[in-house]
Protein backbone atom coordinates (compact mmCIF):
# COMPACT_ATOMS: atom_id res chain seq x y z
CA UNK A 1 0.00 0.00 0.00
CA UNK A 2 2.86 2.39 0.81
CA UNK A 3 4.56 1.69 -2.51
CA UNK A 4 1.34 2.08 -4.50
CA UNK A 5 -0.11 5.13 -2.73
CA UNK A 6 2.94 7.31 -1.93
CA UNK A 7 4.90 9.12 -4.66
CA UNK A 8 7.86 9.27 -4.61
CA UNK A 9 8.30 6.10 -2.56
CA UNK A 10 9.86 7.01 0.80
CA UNK A 11 12.64 5.07 2.44
CA UNK A 12 11.07 2.88 5.11
CA UNK A 13 11.55 -0.31 7.06
CA UNK A 14 8.64 -2.53 8.11
CA UNK A 15 9.23 -5.49 10.45
CA UNK A 16 7.20 -7.73 12.72
CA UNK A 17 8.45 -8.42 16.22
CA UNK A 18 7.02 -10.58 19.01
CA UNK A 19 6.60 -8.81 22.33
CA UNK A 20 4.90 -10.60 25.25
CA UNK A 21 3.59 -13.24 22.86
CA UNK A 22 2.02 -10.56 20.67
CA UNK A 23 3.04 -9.72 17.13
CA UNK A 24 3.88 -6.02 16.82
CA UNK A 25 4.19 -4.26 13.45
CA UNK A 26 6.98 -1.67 13.53
CA UNK A 27 7.10 0.87 10.72
CA UNK A 28 10.13 3.16 10.61
CA UNK A 29 10.13 5.96 8.02
CA UNK A 30 13.29 7.94 7.29
CA UNK A 31 13.14 11.69 6.79
CA UNK A 32 12.43 12.35 3.12
CA UNK A 33 14.73 14.48 0.99
CA UNK A 34 12.55 14.54 -2.14
CA UNK A 35 9.63 16.64 -0.92
CA UNK A 36 6.78 16.97 -1.54
CA UNK A 37 5.54 13.40 -1.00
CA UNK A 38 2.04 12.85 -2.41
CA UNK A 39 -0.73 10.51 -1.32
CA UNK A 40 -2.28 9.13 -4.52
CA UNK A 41 -5.87 7.89 -4.44
CA UNK A 42 -8.78 7.83 -6.92
CA UNK A 43 -6.98 10.04 -9.40
CA UNK A 44 -5.95 12.75 -6.88
CA UNK A 45 -2.52 13.67 -5.56
CA UNK A 46 -2.43 15.37 -2.16
CA UNK A 47 0.62 16.46 -0.17
CA UNK A 48 0.39 16.59 3.63
CA UNK A 49 2.51 18.25 6.28
CA UNK A 50 2.75 17.91 10.04
CA UNK A 51 1.42 20.87 12.06
CA UNK A 52 1.48 20.32 15.82
CA UNK A 53 0.00 16.84 16.28
CA UNK A 54 -1.98 16.85 13.03
CA UNK A 55 -1.31 15.98 9.41
CA UNK A 56 -3.06 18.50 7.18
CA UNK A 57 -3.21 19.02 3.40
CA UNK A 58 -0.57 21.46 2.16
CA UNK A 59 -1.79 24.75 0.67
CA UNK A 60 -0.25 26.37 -2.43
CA UNK A 61 2.32 28.33 -0.43
CA UNK A 62 3.36 25.32 1.60
CA UNK A 63 3.69 23.27 -1.59
CA UNK A 64 6.15 25.83 -3.00
CA UNK A 65 8.22 25.56 0.16
CA UNK A 66 8.24 21.74 -0.02
CA UNK A 67 9.26 21.85 -3.68
CA UNK A 68 12.18 24.16 -2.84
CA UNK A 69 13.21 21.84 -0.02
CA UNK A 70 12.98 18.85 -2.36
CA UNK A 71 15.52 20.39 -4.75
CA UNK A 72 17.74 21.36 -1.81
CA UNK A 73 16.88 25.04 -2.18
CA UNK A 74 15.20 27.80 -0.18
CA UNK A 75 13.25 30.93 -1.06
CA UNK A 76 16.11 33.28 -0.27
CA UNK A 77 18.68 31.30 -2.28
CA UNK A 78 16.46 31.09 -5.40
CA UNK A 79 17.40 33.28 -8.36
CA UNK A 80 15.09 36.24 -8.93
CA UNK A 81 14.30 38.02 -12.20
CA UNK A 82 16.07 41.21 -11.08
CA UNK A 83 19.41 42.33 -12.56
CA UNK A 84 22.17 43.16 -10.06
CA UNK A 85 23.33 46.15 -12.10
CA UNK A 86 19.99 47.92 -11.59
CA UNK A 87 20.18 48.01 -7.78
CA UNK A 88 22.37 49.62 -5.12
CA UNK A 89 23.41 48.31 -1.71
CA UNK A 90 24.69 51.40 0.13
CA UNK A 91 22.78 50.56 3.35
CA UNK A 92 24.19 47.03 3.46
CA UNK A 93 27.74 48.24 2.78
CA UNK A 94 27.50 51.00 5.41
CA UNK A 95 26.15 48.60 8.06
CA UNK A 96 28.88 46.06 7.25
CA UNK A 97 31.61 48.70 7.61
CA UNK A 98 30.17 50.08 10.84
CA UNK A 99 29.60 46.73 12.53
CA UNK A 100 32.67 44.78 11.34
CA UNK A 101 35.20 47.50 10.56
CA UNK A 102 35.80 45.95 7.13
CA UNK A 103 34.87 47.02 3.61
CA UNK A 104 32.21 45.13 1.69
CA UNK A 105 34.01 44.02 -1.49
CA UNK A 106 32.40 43.34 -4.85
CA UNK A 107 33.37 39.66 -4.58
CA UNK A 108 31.28 39.42 -1.40
CA UNK A 109 28.05 39.78 -3.37
CA UNK A 110 28.56 36.34 -4.89
CA UNK A 111 30.19 34.66 -1.91
CA UNK A 112 27.43 35.87 0.43
CA UNK A 113 24.72 34.51 -1.88
CA UNK A 114 23.37 37.93 -2.94
CA UNK A 115 24.13 37.64 -6.66
CA UNK A 116 24.30 34.65 -9.01
CA UNK A 117 27.19 33.98 -11.37
CA UNK A 118 25.20 35.38 -14.31
CA UNK A 119 24.43 38.72 -12.61
CA UNK A 120 20.94 38.04 -11.28
CA UNK A 121 19.92 38.88 -7.72
CA UNK A 122 18.90 36.02 -5.50
CA UNK A 123 15.75 36.66 -3.48
CA UNK A 124 18.07 37.39 -0.53
CA UNK A 125 19.79 40.03 -2.67
CA UNK A 126 16.45 41.53 -3.68
CA UNK A 127 15.46 41.76 -0.01
CA UNK A 128 18.74 43.52 0.90
CA UNK A 129 18.79 46.05 -1.96
CA UNK A 130 18.31 49.70 -0.96
CA UNK A 131 15.07 49.90 -2.92
CA UNK A 132 13.90 46.33 -2.46
CA UNK A 133 11.65 45.17 -5.31
CA UNK A 134 10.01 42.61 -2.98
CA UNK A 135 6.91 44.69 -2.26
CA UNK A 136 5.56 42.52 0.55
CA UNK A 137 8.80 42.94 2.51
CA UNK A 138 7.48 45.72 4.74
CA UNK A 139 7.38 46.66 8.40
CA UNK A 140 4.26 48.19 9.97
CA UNK A 141 4.77 49.88 13.35
CA UNK A 142 1.99 51.21 15.60
CA UNK A 143 1.93 52.73 19.08
CA UNK A 144 -1.61 52.04 20.30
CA UNK A 145 -3.44 54.12 22.88
CA UNK A 146 -4.10 51.75 25.81
CA UNK A 147 -3.81 47.99 26.11
CA UNK A 148 -5.70 46.94 22.97
CA UNK A 149 -6.40 48.13 19.42
CA UNK A 150 -9.66 49.89 20.25
CA UNK A 151 -9.00 51.80 23.41
CA UNK A 152 -10.80 55.05 22.58
CA UNK A 153 -11.39 57.82 20.07
CA UNK A 154 -7.66 58.12 19.38
CA UNK A 155 -6.68 54.49 18.78
CA UNK A 156 -3.12 55.07 17.51
CA UNK A 157 -0.67 57.56 19.01
CA UNK A 158 1.97 56.91 16.33
CA UNK A 159 2.22 54.70 13.27
CA UNK A 160 4.79 54.22 10.53
CA UNK A 161 5.19 51.99 7.47
CA UNK A 162 8.71 51.13 6.30
CA UNK A 163 9.95 49.58 3.06
CA UNK A 164 13.36 48.91 1.56
CA UNK A 165 16.38 46.83 2.56
CA UNK A 166 16.03 44.42 5.47
CA UNK A 167 18.85 46.38 7.12
CA UNK A 168 16.73 49.55 6.89
CA UNK A 169 13.64 47.74 8.21
CA UNK A 170 15.63 46.55 11.22
CA UNK A 171 17.10 49.97 11.99
CA UNK A 172 13.78 51.78 11.53
CA UNK A 173 11.98 49.25 13.69
CA UNK A 174 14.48 49.69 16.52
CA UNK A 175 14.21 53.48 16.20
CA UNK A 176 10.40 53.29 16.39
CA UNK A 177 10.54 51.24 19.60
CA UNK A 178 13.12 53.60 21.09
CA UNK A 179 10.97 56.65 20.25
CA UNK A 180 7.81 55.09 21.69
CA UNK A 181 9.22 53.68 24.93
CA UNK A 182 11.05 55.05 27.94
CA UNK A 183 14.21 54.31 29.89
CA UNK A 184 13.91 55.23 33.56
CA UNK A 185 16.77 55.02 36.04
CA UNK A 186 17.32 54.33 39.72
CA UNK A 187 20.24 55.49 41.90
CA UNK A 188 21.55 52.88 44.36
CA UNK A 189 24.64 53.99 46.27
CA UNK A 190 27.27 54.82 43.68
CA UNK A 191 25.48 52.94 40.91
CA UNK A 192 22.89 54.17 38.42
CA UNK A 193 20.61 51.38 37.20
CA UNK A 194 18.79 51.83 33.91
CA UNK A 195 15.17 50.67 33.86
CA UNK A 196 14.01 50.36 30.23
CA UNK A 197 10.43 49.54 29.30
CA UNK A 198 11.86 46.93 26.91
CA UNK A 199 15.52 45.75 26.93
CA UNK A 200 17.02 46.77 23.57
CA UNK A 201 18.78 43.44 23.07
CA UNK A 202 15.51 41.52 23.45
CA UNK A 203 13.79 43.82 20.95
CA UNK A 204 16.73 43.40 18.54
CA UNK A 205 16.67 39.60 18.78
CA UNK A 206 12.89 39.50 18.34
CA UNK A 207 12.88 41.79 15.30
CA UNK A 208 15.85 40.03 13.67
CA UNK A 209 14.04 36.71 14.13
CA UNK A 210 10.87 38.15 12.56
CA UNK A 211 12.69 39.55 9.50
CA UNK A 212 14.96 36.62 8.65
CA UNK A 213 12.68 33.70 9.54
CA UNK A 214 9.39 35.04 8.19
CA UNK A 215 7.58 33.22 5.40
CA UNK A 216 8.31 35.34 2.30
CA UNK A 217 6.13 33.09 0.16
CA UNK A 218 3.15 34.65 1.95
CA UNK A 219 2.58 37.57 -0.42
CA UNK A 220 -0.25 39.22 1.49
CA UNK A 221 1.39 39.91 4.81
CA UNK A 222 4.21 41.78 6.52
CA UNK A 223 6.04 42.07 9.84
CA UNK A 224 4.29 44.15 12.51
CA UNK A 225 5.45 45.88 15.69
CA UNK A 226 2.53 46.79 17.95
CA UNK A 227 3.29 48.73 21.13
CA UNK A 228 0.63 48.94 23.85
CA UNK A 229 0.80 50.49 27.33
CA UNK A 230 1.68 47.16 28.93
CA UNK A 231 3.46 45.21 26.19
CA UNK A 232 5.15 45.10 22.79
CA UNK A 233 4.20 42.49 20.18
CA UNK A 234 6.27 41.49 17.15
CA UNK A 235 4.33 39.54 14.54
CA UNK A 236 5.79 37.72 11.53
CA UNK A 237 4.08 35.58 8.85
CA UNK A 238 4.76 31.84 9.05
CA UNK A 239 4.97 29.49 12.00
CA UNK A 240 7.89 27.32 13.11
CA UNK A 241 9.89 25.73 10.27
CA UNK A 242 9.15 22.21 11.50
CA UNK A 243 5.42 22.86 11.99
CA UNK A 244 5.56 22.58 15.78
CA UNK A 245 3.97 25.07 18.17
CA UNK A 246 6.60 26.99 20.14
CA UNK A 247 4.31 27.47 23.17
CA UNK A 248 4.33 23.68 23.62
CA UNK A 249 8.14 23.41 23.60
CA UNK A 250 11.02 24.16 25.97
CA UNK A 251 12.60 27.42 24.75
CA UNK A 252 16.01 26.22 25.94
CA UNK A 253 15.89 23.05 23.81
CA UNK A 254 14.81 24.29 20.39
CA UNK A 255 17.41 23.48 17.71
CA UNK A 256 18.31 26.09 15.11
CA UNK A 257 16.33 25.62 11.88
CA UNK A 258 16.46 28.41 9.32
CA UNK A 259 13.76 29.02 6.75
CA UNK A 260 16.02 31.58 5.00
CA UNK A 261 19.63 30.47 5.62
CA UNK A 262 21.25 32.97 3.22
CA UNK A 263 19.67 35.95 4.98
CA UNK A 264 20.47 34.41 8.37
CA UNK A 265 24.14 34.01 7.37
CA UNK A 266 24.37 37.65 6.23
CA UNK A 267 22.80 38.93 9.46
CA UNK A 268 25.30 36.79 11.33
CA UNK A 269 28.15 38.40 9.38
CA UNK A 270 26.68 41.78 10.30
CA UNK A 271 26.80 40.66 13.95
CA UNK A 272 23.06 41.12 14.42
CA UNK A 273 22.65 37.50 15.47
CA UNK A 274 24.65 34.43 16.46
CA UNK A 275 25.18 31.56 14.06
CA UNK A 276 24.11 28.93 16.59
CA UNK A 277 20.57 30.34 16.69
CA UNK A 278 20.19 31.19 20.38
CA UNK A 279 17.83 34.14 19.87
CA UNK A 280 14.92 32.79 21.95
CA UNK A 281 17.18 32.02 24.89
CA UNK A 282 18.86 35.43 24.58
CA UNK A 283 15.49 37.23 24.67
CA UNK A 284 14.55 35.35 27.83
CA UNK A 285 17.92 35.65 29.60
CA UNK A 286 18.16 39.41 28.94
CA UNK A 287 14.72 39.88 30.50
CA UNK A 288 15.67 37.77 33.50
CA UNK A 289 18.73 39.99 34.10
CA UNK A 290 16.65 43.17 34.40
CA UNK A 291 16.29 44.90 37.76
CA UNK A 292 12.47 44.94 37.70
CA UNK A 293 12.01 41.41 36.31
CA UNK A 294 9.51 39.00 37.85
CA UNK A 295 8.21 35.71 36.44
CA UNK A 296 4.95 37.32 35.35
CA UNK A 297 6.97 39.63 33.05
CA UNK A 298 8.59 36.75 31.19
CA UNK A 299 8.52 37.04 27.34
CA UNK A 300 5.81 34.96 25.67
CA UNK A 301 6.22 33.03 22.42
CA UNK A 302 3.28 31.85 20.30
CA UNK A 303 3.07 30.15 16.92
CA UNK A 304 0.57 28.28 14.78
CA UNK A 305 0.64 27.16 11.16
CA UNK A 306 0.45 30.70 9.76
CA UNK A 307 1.82 33.07 12.43
CA UNK A 308 4.55 33.75 14.95
CA UNK A 309 4.08 36.30 17.75
CA UNK A 310 6.60 37.43 20.36
CA UNK A 311 5.18 39.39 23.31
CA UNK A 312 7.54 41.47 25.44
CA UNK A 313 6.09 42.83 28.69
CA UNK A 314 6.64 46.47 29.69
CA UNK A 315 8.95 46.21 32.70
CA UNK A 316 7.81 49.61 34.01
CA UNK A 317 4.08 49.00 33.72
CA UNK A 318 3.55 47.86 37.32
CA UNK A 319 3.30 51.46 38.50
CA UNK A 320 0.77 52.19 35.79
CA UNK A 321 -1.23 49.13 36.88
CA UNK A 322 -1.30 50.43 40.44
CA UNK A 323 -2.39 53.84 39.20
CA UNK A 324 -5.16 52.30 37.11
CA UNK A 325 -6.31 50.23 40.09
CA UNK A 326 -6.31 53.35 42.26
CA UNK A 327 -8.44 55.20 39.70
CA UNK A 328 -10.78 52.21 39.50
CA UNK A 329 -11.27 52.26 43.28
CA UNK A 330 -11.74 56.03 43.25
CA UNK A 331 -14.39 55.81 40.52
CA UNK A 332 -16.18 53.05 42.43
CA UNK A 333 -16.26 55.19 45.59
CA UNK A 334 -17.64 58.14 43.60
CA UNK A 335 -20.42 55.95 42.19
CA UNK A 336 -21.26 54.64 45.66
CA UNK A 337 -21.60 58.20 46.96
CA UNK A 338 -23.90 59.12 44.07
CA UNK A 339 -26.09 56.07 44.76
CA UNK A 340 -26.30 57.01 48.45
CA UNK A 341 -27.32 60.57 47.48
CA UNK A 342 -30.04 59.24 45.14
CA UNK A 343 -31.40 56.91 47.86
CA UNK A 344 -31.44 59.72 50.42
CA UNK A 345 -33.41 61.89 48.00
CA UNK A 346 -35.78 59.03 47.06
CA UNK A 347 -35.73 55.93 49.32
CA UNK A 348 -38.11 54.13 46.96
CA UNK A 349 -35.86 54.60 43.92
CA UNK A 350 -35.52 51.52 41.72
CA UNK A 351 -32.40 50.00 40.24
CA UNK A 352 -33.68 50.92 36.79
CA UNK A 353 -33.94 54.58 37.78
CA UNK A 354 -30.40 54.52 39.22
CA UNK A 355 -29.16 52.94 35.98
CA UNK A 356 -30.74 55.75 33.96
CA UNK A 357 -29.53 58.62 36.18
CA UNK A 358 -25.91 57.38 36.46
CA UNK A 359 -25.67 55.83 32.98
CA UNK A 360 -24.64 52.46 34.42
CA UNK A 361 -25.50 48.88 33.46
CA UNK A 362 -27.80 46.75 35.61
CA UNK A 363 -24.85 44.54 36.55
CA UNK A 364 -22.84 47.57 37.72
CA UNK A 365 -25.72 48.92 39.83
CA UNK A 366 -26.47 45.52 41.36
CA UNK A 367 -22.79 45.03 42.23
CA UNK A 368 -22.46 48.49 43.85
CA UNK A 369 -25.68 48.16 45.86
CA UNK A 370 -24.69 44.70 47.05
CA UNK A 371 -21.38 46.16 48.18
CA UNK A 372 -23.13 49.03 50.01
CA UNK A 373 -25.46 46.53 51.70
CA UNK A 374 -22.59 44.24 52.75
CA UNK A 375 -20.73 47.23 54.16
CA UNK A 376 -23.81 48.18 56.23
CA UNK A 377 -24.31 51.54 54.48
CA UNK A 378 -27.80 50.69 53.20
CA UNK A 379 -30.47 48.12 53.99
CA UNK A 380 -33.74 47.09 52.40
CA UNK A 381 -36.95 47.65 54.35
CA UNK A 382 -39.92 45.62 53.14
CA UNK A 383 -40.32 43.62 49.95
CA UNK A 384 -38.47 44.17 46.71
CA UNK A 385 -41.67 45.42 45.06
CA UNK A 386 -43.19 47.62 47.78
CA UNK A 387 -40.27 48.30 50.12
CA UNK A 388 -37.71 51.10 50.31
CA UNK A 389 -34.02 51.68 51.02
CA UNK A 390 -32.70 53.02 54.29
CA UNK A 391 -29.31 54.73 54.56
CA UNK A 392 -27.46 53.81 57.76
Amino acid sequence: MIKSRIDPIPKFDLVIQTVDNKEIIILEISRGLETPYYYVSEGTRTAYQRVGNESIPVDARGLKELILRGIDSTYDSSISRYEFENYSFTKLKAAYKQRTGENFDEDDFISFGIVSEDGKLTNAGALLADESPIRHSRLFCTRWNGVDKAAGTMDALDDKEFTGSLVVLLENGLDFVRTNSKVKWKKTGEERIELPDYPRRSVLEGLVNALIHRQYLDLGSEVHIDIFDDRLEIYSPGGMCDGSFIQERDINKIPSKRRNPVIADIFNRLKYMERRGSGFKKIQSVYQSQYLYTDRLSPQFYSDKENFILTLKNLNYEGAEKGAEKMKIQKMEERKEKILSLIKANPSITQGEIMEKLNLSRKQVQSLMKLLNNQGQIRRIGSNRNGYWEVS
Side-chain angles (χ1 to χ4, degrees), residues 74 76-77 112-114 122 124-125 128 260-267:
T74 56
D76 61 342
S77 65
F112 285 11
I114 293 173
T122 62
L128 288 162
N260 300 297
V262 177
I263 300 173
D265 180 64
I266 292 171
F267 269 65

Side-chain angles (χ1 to χ4, degrees), residues 158-343:
D158 189 13
D159 68 283
K160 297 286 190 301
E161 177 181 337
F162 301 109
T163 60
S165 169
L166 289 181
V167 174
V168 173
L169 297 188
L170 175 62
E171 293 174 350
N172 286 339
L174 293 174
D175 287 343
F176 185 87
V177 174
R178 182 166 51 248
T179 301
N180 287 279
S181 60
K182 299 180 180 65
V183 179
K184 300 180 181 180
W185 59 273
K186 178 183 179 70
K187 195 75 181 275
T188 58
E190 300 298 321
E191 184 181 11
R192 170 175 161 151
I193 300 174
E194 289 196 345
L195 307 173
D197 288 352
Y198 309 100
R200 187 179 187 280
R201 182 68 195 192
S202 293
V203 177
L204 171 64
E205 292 285 349
L207 187 52
V208 165
N209 180 77
L211 292 172
I212 69 173
H213 294 307
R214 67 155 286 188
Q215 176 55 274
Y216 284 98
L217 291 170
D218 188 345
L219 305 183
S221 190
E222 57 279 319
V223 174
H224 288 250
I225 298 176
D226 291 300
I227 304 177
F228 302 89
D229 288 357
D230 61 341
R231 68 195 187 280
L232 179 153
E233 294 179 357
I234 300 177
Y235 161 82
S236 60
M240 297 285 284
C241 294
D242 60 3
S244 65
F245 299 151
I246 191 169
Q247 62 271 20
E248 298 175 356
R249 303 183 63 178
D250 184 345
I251 291 295
N252 296 312
K253 297 180 180 178
I254 298 178
S256 176
K257 292 186 179 180
R258 300 176 175 186
R259 179 176 279 119
N260 300 297
V262 177
I263 300 173
D265 180 64
I266 292 171
F267 269 65
N268 170 256
R269 293 173 186 268
L270 290 169
K271 303 185 186 301
Y272 283 125
M273 61 174 290
E274 297 180 12
R275 188 180 299 273
R276 63 189 182 202
S278 57
F280 295 154
K281 289 184 285 187
K282 178 69 72 174
I283 291 169
Q284 202 167 49
S285 65
V286 169
Y287 252 77
Q288 291 170 347
S289 69
Q290 298 301 301
Y291 184 82
L292 295 175
Y293 176 81
T294 63
D295 287 343
R296 71 178 184 83
L297 295 173
S298 180
Q300 296 179 347
F301 304 86
Y302 171 85
S303 70
D304 54 29
K305 178 177 178 288
E306 305 288 345
N307 313 289
F308 190 100
I309 300 173
L310 165 66
T311 301
L312 301 177
K313 304 294 184 65
N314 186 336
L315 291 165
N316 291 312
Y317 188 65
E318 184 177 357
E321 283 183 325
K322 289 180 178 178
E325 184 64 24
K326 184 177 179 181
M327 289 183 64
K328 183 179 178 182
I329 294 173
Q330 182 178 345
K331 183 177 288 187
M332 182 177 66
E333 292 299 323
E334 291 174 355
R335 288 173 173 173
K336 284 165 59 180
E337 288 299 323
K338 290 179 179 178
I339 291 175
L340 287 173
S341 297
L342 290 172
I343 291 175

Side-chain angles (χ1 to χ4, degrees), residues 8 58 65 107 154 337 379:
V58 176
E65 191 172 14
D107 293 344
M154 187 185 296
E337 288 299 323
R379 66 186 181 119

Side-chain angles (χ1 to χ4, degrees), residues 8-23:
I9 299 172
K11 182 181 179 182
F12 67 93
D13 187 32
L14 191 151
V15 297
I16 297 177
Q17 291 186 3
T18 301
V19 179
D20 296 333
N21 295 320
K22 296 180 180 179
E23 288 189 332

Side-chain angles (χ1 to χ4, degrees), residues 124-171:
L127 288 165
L128 288 162
D130 290 343
E131 301 296 330
S132 173
I134 309 295
R135 298 305 177 193
H136 57 281
S137 177
R138 299 175 296 178
L139 176 64
F140 287 0
C141 301
T142 308
R143 172 56 170 103
W144 297 95
N145 181 26
V147 295
D148 55 42
K149 294 184 179 181
T153 55
M154 187 185 296
D155 294 340
L157 301 176
D158 189 13
D159 68 283
K160 297 286 190 301
E161 177 181 337
F162 301 109
T163 60
S165 169
L166 289 181
V167 174
V168 173
L169 297 188
L170 175 62
E171 293 174 350

